[in-house]
Amino acid sequence: MFQIDYYAYSNRMVSIHPAEKFLFSFITMLICLAINSYAVSLAVILLMTGAVVLRAGIPWGLYLKLMALPAAFLLVGVAAIALSVSFSGQAAGTFWGFSLAGVSVGVSAGGLALAGKIFLKSLAAACCLYFLALTTPMVDIISLLRKIKAPSLFMELMGLVYRFIFVMAETAEKIYTSQSSRLGYVNLNRGYHSLGQLVSNLFVKSYHRSKMLFIALTSRCYNGEITVLERNYSLSPGNIAVILLLDTGLVLFGIWEKWGGPAA
Amino acid sequence: MTEIIMEARDVVHQYPDGTRALNNITLSLEKGKKIAFLGPNGAGKSTLFLHFNGILKPARGKIIFRGREIRYDHSSLTELRKNVGIVFQDPEIQLFSASVYQEISFGPLNMGLSREEVRRRVDRAMEITGVTGLKNKATHYLSYGQKKRVSIADILAMNPQVIIFDEPTSGLDPKLTGQIMELFDGFSREGKTVILSTHDVNAAYSWADHVIVIKDGSVAGEGEPEDIFQDDGLLAAADLDKPWLVDVYRQLRSRGLVAEGCGVPRTREKLFGLIRNI
Ligand SMILES: Nc1ncnc2c1ncn2[C@@H]1O[C@H](COP(=O)(O)OP(=O)(O)OP(=O)(O)O)[C@@H](O)[C@H]1O
Ligand SMILES: [Mg+2]
């Protein structure tokens, strides 16, 4: 998670208007979900991978590691779809299977095809979300939500929570370091004890910190509402054209492949 | 005729746990001066600063800003806080936003300025503190010194008449310390009153126009740096070291190497000048 955040600020697409990236990610995802075909899902995966790795400059290693996560979950999930279980002998249409104590488990061509389709479609959707997460800083996403008139209280909270995740992680790390330098984790027993203290102190410190933060905000004329200036981005007609072109291409490809192309 | 900008009269402050952090403290600060507060840990410096900004309210006594007693209703406090800015000791508690730019824009926006004006001020504050290159970085990826600069830019963008720095140089390397002290000189040249607390006697000695020593919640001594740092009794009572310039000067004096009337040097260069004349 911290690595995603790190690259969100340091990738090569960071200066592009967040709305453009947001649109690209969501329109592409919608197309992929709506058309629902192998070829389109594959095309979306390739497109997004290209955008993330080649255009934004996210290292291959990190990207593959990140993709492995949803892929592993999806594999387990779709396995249940691919397998058909029956209690009255091998079901029709299975090309592979075994029986155990009267229960037969088999894989049918139809089940396998469906599983593959769902797997690719979901992976493609995950790619689209990763694209947004890896190229757009959280700060920009919150600004964008604010611009499209999401409730301001909610956005203030989101901003503070985001900032404090890092403050808390750092505090926890400091406490952990200071504990382990004094043998706090020398054995399992002491380890549990130290961890307990770490957690409770984290709460106390966070509470104190939030009180101090309130004081610091008050000293800058805080009046119950956090108003800040957003960074100015300019929309680029070139980028918008590229997005439209790519997504229109994707739709046309989907239509041709599904209804007009070689019989599937 | 000097003008008094801020005054405390017989101020007492007691924290809820019973600690008497300020004990009948009385002092006045001159407009446009560079004022350094010194004193041991727990003397009450931070507590006093929070009174100047209206965050804390004295249990007894009063705080006077520009000749008028501070009132604690919303609009008076807002007016006070526009004029008196405070940079907290720990930048980590002051920075609330993950974006440097948003962070600095918070104060001036609260002052009700137009967006263009705020943009101008934020850009200028970033330029002065040397953080322009960081404006698109996340605050959580900044180094301590960078966070410190951003916390100073926060207040600078509000352009207050009085700027209070609570231990601005603690935890900074000597080079950054030097740069920050120079920055403060710049504010002072613009006619602002600059107040800081520090444990660095050398920095206070060379930099300040006026030094106030706080101990146990009241003023133990105040005056020009030359006088304060030669008052051995006061320094011992407040656990303060002597600046090295004063030490060296005293050695030279006791050997009769410098003339009587030349006074204690405030800078390294002046001292070296004295030595060259030996
Ligand atoms: N929130 C609080 N609750 C209770 N006591 C406090 C609180 N804050 C400060 N004190 C106490 O008030 C006294 C003065 O503290 P203050 O922080 O003003 O000292 P200081 O001069 O700024 O010290 P330092 O040089 O260490 O920053 C100390 O004894 C401290 O323990
Ligand atoms: Mg303090």
Side-chain angles (χ1 to χ4, degrees):
Chain A
M1 189 214 134
F2 291 114
Q3 258 179 327
I4 296 183
D5 184 72
Y6 181 78
Y7 278 103
Y9 288 94
S10 57
N11 69 84
R12 289 203 298 259
M13 289 177 86
V14 72
S15 55
I16 293 179
H17 198 297
E20 293 169 9
K21 292 181 277 195
F22 190 79
L23 280 182
F24 181 52
S25 160
F26 271 77
I27 295 181
T28 311
M29 187 159 82
L30 283 182
I31 293 174
C32 153
L33 295 180
I35 295 187
N36 189 18
S37 83
Y38 282 119
V40 171
S41 300
L42 265 177
V44 168
I45 292 177
L46 287 180
L47 179 64
M48 285 300 172
T49 306
V52 167
V53 178
L54 302 178
R55 177 69 178 82
I58 307 295
W60 271 111
L62 173 69
Y63 183 68
L64 291 180
K65 215 168 73 191
L66 289 174
M67 287 311 293
L69 214 72
F73 274 108
L74 284 171
L75 270 182
V76 176
V78 298
I81 298 173
L83 294 178
S84 53
V85 180
S86 123
F87 295 95
S88 50
Q90 210 55 265
T94 53
F95 57 84
W96 177 87
F98 60 89
S99 301
L100 198 72
V103 181
S104 27
V105 178
V107 181
S108 70
L112 200 61
L114 185 64
K117 219 174 195 175
I118 293 180
F119 177 78
L120 279 182
K121 185 170 76 171
S122 315
L123 205 62
C127 277
C128 295
L129 288 179
Y130 269 140
F131 167 79
L132 187 66
L134 282 164
T135 59
T136 316
M138 196 62 188
V139 174
D140 287 347
I141 295 182
I142 295 175
S143 302
L144 197 66
L145 289 174
R146 202 176 281 149
K147 280 217 183 78
I148 56 178
K149 301 276 177 275
S152 72
L153 175 67
F154 189 62
M155 292 301 109
E156 274 175 29
L157 273 178
M158 220 165 132
L160 287 177
V161 167
Y162 173 64
R163 163 99 181 102
F164 277 81
I165 285 174
F166 291 92
V167 172
M168 269 181 83
E170 214 177 291
T171 313
E173 197 184 313
K174 278 184 191 150
I175 299 178
Y176 178 80
T177 313
S178 112
Q179 285 179 328
S180 38
S181 74
R182 280 176 281 159
L183 301 180
Y185 296 89
V186 65
N187 58 35
L188 203 60
N189 194 3
R190 293 307 300 161
Y192 279 128
H193 181 77
S194 299
L195 193 63
Q197 286 194 325
L198 188 153
V199 172
S200 58
N201 276 300
L202 202 56
F203 273 110
V204 175
K205 282 200 178 193
S206 305
Y207 174 68
H208 176 70
R209 200 180 273 278
S210 69
K211 272 203 330 200
M212 292 300 290
L213 176 79
F214 179 69
I215 289 181
L217 288 178
T218 307
S219 80
R220 282 197 275 161
C221 305
Y222 172 64
N223 47 19
E225 193 177 343
I226 295 181
T227 38
V228 290
L229 270 194
E230 314 287 2
R231 183 177 163 196
N232 266 343
Y233 285 98
S234 44
L235 282 169
S236 136
N239 284 340
I240 295 177
V242 169
I243 294 170
L244 286 181
L245 213 68
L246 283 174
D247 283 334
T248 317
L250 209 57
V251 173
L252 290 179
F253 172 65
I255 293 174
W256 171 78
E257 190 267 341
K258 208 156 186 177
W259 291 289
Chain B
M1 182 57 205
T2 53
E3 189 185 335
I4 301 294
I5 192 152
M6 182 76 84
E7 251 180 285
R9 280 198 205 146
D10 291 316
V11 171
V12 172
H13 185 84
Q14 191 156 5
Y15 279 109
D17 67 351
T19 314
R20 212 164 214 230
L22 295 179
N23 215 340
N24 288 312
I25 194 167
T26 299
L27 51 82
S28 43
L29 307 176
E30 273 176 39
K31 187 173 177 188
K33 282 275 159 79
K34 297 187 278 183
I35 301 158
F37 280 81
L38 291 160
N41 290 128
K45 303 179 293 290
S46 301
T47 308
L48 180 65
F49 290 170
L50 291 178
H51 279 83
F52 288 157
N53 190 254
I55 299 278
L56 293 179
K57 202 174 163 178
R60 274 216 309 279
K62 47 189 153 183
I63 307 285
I64 296 161
F65 177 63
R66 288 199 296 212
R68 280 208 265 149
E69 187 178 342
I70 296 182
R71 284 183 303 137
Y72 292 86
D73 58 282
H74 182 75
S75 64
S76 313
L77 281 179
T78 305
E79 198 50 38
L80 174 72
R81 288 170 188 157
K82 283 182 189 172
N83 287 299
V84 182
I86 177 165
V87 178
F88 287 80
Q89 182 173 346
D90 181 2
E92 206 71 76
I93 65 144
Q94 192 184 317
L95 306 182
F96 72 89
S97 171
S99 142
V100 171
Y101 196 82
Q102 293 185 2
E103 171 68 39
I104 303 175
S105 69
F106 175 73
L109 273 178
N110 287 339
M111 295 169 66
L113 301 167
S114 72
R115 304 214 149 218
E116 297 76 65
E117 173 65 13
V118 172
R119 246 176 235 293
R120 247 202 321 278
R121 285 194 179 196
V122 173
D123 288 339
R124 187 163 169 274
M126 287 197 297
E127 203 181 297
I128 293 175
T129 49
V131 297
T132 309
L134 306 175
K135 80 169 165 196
N136 296 324
K137 271 194 113 172
T139 36
H140 48 268
Y141 295 124
L142 302 183
S143 75
Y144 182 80
Q146 291 170 331
K147 283 181 191 159
K148 197 91 198 182
R149 281 161 180 260
V150 172
S151 72
I152 294 174
D154 271 355
I155 304 306
L156 219 51
M158 297 176 74
N159 197 22
Q161 289 189 7
V162 180
I163 312 187
I164 303 174
F165 298 94
D166 201 355
E167 304 200 18
T169 55
S170 66
L172 298 186
D173 64 38
K175 179 159 172 256
L176 201 53
T177 303
Q179 285 176 3
I180 288 204
M181 296 311 267
E182 256 169 52
L183 203 63
F184 296 171
D185 275 337
F187 304 156
S188 173
R189 277 193 296 274
E190 286 174 21
K192 296 187 193 314
T193 310
V194 185
I195 300 173
L196 58 81
S197 71
T198 180
H199 293 288
D200 183 346
V201 284
N202 292 309
Y205 176 67
S206 302
W207 176 84
D209 298 325
H210 192 78
V211 173
I212 300 179
V213 180
I214 305 278
K215 188 168 187 289
D216 296 333
S218 50
V219 178
E222 62 173 311
E224 310 247 314
E226 289 92 337
D227 301 330
I228 293 290
F229 287 111
Q230 296 204 75
D231 186 340
D232 294 327
L234 175 65
L235 295 184
D239 297 324
L240 292 173
D241 275 340
K242 214 169 279 151
W244 69 270
L245 283 166
V246 175
D247 266 340
V248 173
Y249 171 79
R250 285 228 177 147
Q251 284 292 323
L252 293 174
R253 279 280 299 140
S254 68
R255 300 280 164 88
L257 291 172
V258 291
E260 176 110 27
C262 64
V264 214
R266 284 278 297 279
T267 61
R268 194 183 284 265
E269 288 69 35
K270 288 235 176 70
L271 178 72
F272 291 171
L274 284 183
I275 293 174
R276 247 178 267 123
N277 288 339
I278 289 172

